[in-house]
Amino acid sequence: MATQIVTLVGVLIGALTSYCATAVAERARFRRELATRWDERKLDTYIAYVTCVKEIQRAAMEAGRARDQGGDATDALREMESSENRRSVLFETFVLLGDERAATAAHTVNQRTWELLRATRDPASGLAELRTVPLVEALNVLHQAARSDLAISRGAAGR
């Protein structure tokens, strides 16, 4: 009888150990999957946000170039405003998903983008005035912050 109890206790301990090990492994797997899912959303949001900023910059430069050449900047201004509307909406998602450093960098990009928008909306501004807005530098800081938030090293990104 004692050997049966020892055997039963051994089986129970084995089953409990197996259950605990499986539960810990499943929990770790779930956390990894969840982190990966959010990282994918972050990456998509970061790319969409930066794309809108670049579209605003490109359209602003087109408007400035058109003015310098005596042309009509209406289409470029319309495209710039449309991209600005999308950027504004994407920024909210960016702030919700991004870490503090990335959100701070995005705020700076917003400030520079607004400076560019203000300058471009001035009918007297040409390409030279628009190029003085330091938007590219702010975007470079944002890129670094986004890579850090997504744990993308410079070496891994270049492979």
Side-chain angles (χ1 to χ4, degrees):
M1 173 98 171
T3 56
Q4 291 175 339
I5 291 176
V6 170
T7 304
L8 184 59
V9 169
V11 168
L12 287 174
I13 290 173
L16 185 60
T17 303
S18 176
Y19 171 77
C20 288
T22 302
V24 168
E26 283 297 313
R27 185 174 176 95
R29 185 180 64 80
F30 175 75
R31 286 183 177 165
R32 275 192 311 275
E33 286 176 1
L34 189 60
T36 300
R37 187 178 328 144
W38 283 114
D39 281 351
E40 288 173 3
R41 286 284 312 264
K42 276 190 213 182
L43 178 61
D44 292 344
T45 300
Y46 289 179
I47 290 170
Y49 175 81
V50 170
T51 299
C52 280
V53 171
K54 295 298 284 184
E55 288 172 356
I56 290 167
Q57 183 183 34
R58 186 187 47 72
M61 295 304 152
E62 282 181 25
R65 196 173 299 111
R67 288 180 182 142
D68 287 347
Q69 297 171 353
D72 184 18
T74 306
D75 289 341
L77 291 171
R78 189 176 308 117
E79 185 178 335
M80 182 185 76
E81 296 298 339
S82 174
S83 294
E84 165 56 11
N85 289 337
R86 285 194 325 277
R87 185 217 51 81
S88 177
V89 171
L90 282 168
F91 176 72
E92 299 304 322
T93 305
F94 190 112
V95 171
L96 287 171
L97 294 177
D99 70 0
E100 190 67 30
R101 185 172 166 221
T104 300
H107 280 289
T108 302
V109 168
N110 281 348
Q111 293 294 324
R112 299 301 172 262
T113 302
W114 294 330
E115 289 172 26
L116 181 63
L117 289 165
R118 247 187 321 276
T120 307
R121 289 172 182 145
D122 178 0
S125 67
L127 206 49
E129 292 87 4
L130 301 179
R131 286 190 174 149
T132 63
V133 177
L135 181 57
V136 173
E137 292 83 357
L139 281 170
N140 288 339
V141 172
L142 177 61
H143 292 151
Q144 287 178 316
R147 276 194 306 273
S148 174
D149 185 23
L150 294 168
I152 299 172
S153 69
R154 196 61 150 142
R159 289 183 193 155

